[in-house]
């Protein structure tokens, strides 16, 4: 298994490596390693009340890393070089809602 330096991925994506725990939870959740649902985990982060938006963002980036780590690493590399944001490298898809909207658009174009 490839070693994952969560802090170096998290900092350019969320703005700080201090959200590495939420990123790691998202990664583990997406891999099916946690006995909780996404909704339950997001609810726990929200009810905790500290840096909710950033922690939820880190959670989603962790899930994205679990789904396509090589692509995410390219996005981070581009962001670190100051060329573009990670979201731009990923086609503007930075949330599950964006992913659904993209898939709907692609399906409609296919028809």
């Amino acid at each position: 298994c490839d070693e994952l330096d969560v802090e170096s991925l998290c900092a350019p994506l969320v703005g700080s490596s201090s959200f590495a725990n939420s990123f790691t939870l998202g990664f583990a959740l997406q891999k099916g390693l946690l006995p909780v649902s996404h909704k339950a985990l997001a609810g726990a982060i929200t009810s905790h009340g500290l840096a909710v938006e950033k922690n939820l963002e880190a959670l989603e980036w962790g899930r994205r890393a679990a789904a396509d780590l090589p692509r995410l690493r390219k996005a981070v590399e581009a962001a670190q070089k100051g060329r573009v944001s990670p979201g731009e490298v990923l086609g503007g898809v930075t949330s599950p809602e964006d992913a659904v909207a993209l898939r709907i658009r692609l399906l409609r174009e296919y028809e």
Side-chain angles (χ1 to χ4, degrees):
C1 181
D2 200 13
E3 192 172 307
L4 185 64
D5 182 359
V6 174
E7 290 182 353
S8 70
L9 290 173
C10 196
L13 293 170
V14 188
S16 172
S17 63
S18 64
F19 299 100
N21 286 340
S22 293
F23 185 98
T24 303
L25 284 171
F27 189 92
L29 179 69
Q30 190 67 24
K31 291 288 188 181
L33 301 173
L34 298 178
V36 296
S37 68
H38 176 263
K39 183 177 180 179
L41 194 50
I45 289 171
T46 302
S47 68
H48 189 259
L50 293 176
V52 172
E53 203 171 298
K54 287 291 187 180
N55 276 300
L56 290 173
E57 186 178 350
L59 179 75
E60 294 307 317
W61 280 117
R63 293 180 68 204
R64 189 173 280 285
D68 192 352
L69 187 56
R71 188 171 179 204
L72 185 80
R73 283 187 170 146
K74 287 180 186 174
V76 168
E77 184 181 310
Q80 288 173 327
K81 291 179 181 176
R83 293 189 305 222
V84 293
S85 72
E88 289 171 317
V89 173
L90 297 172
V93 178
T94 58
S95 71
E97 293 79 15
D98 291 343
V100 169
L102 174 64
R103 298 289 182 206
I104 290 171
R105 183 178 59 81
L106 292 173
L107 284 170
R108 286 188 177 143
E109 289 173 6
Y110 178 76
E111 295 173 344

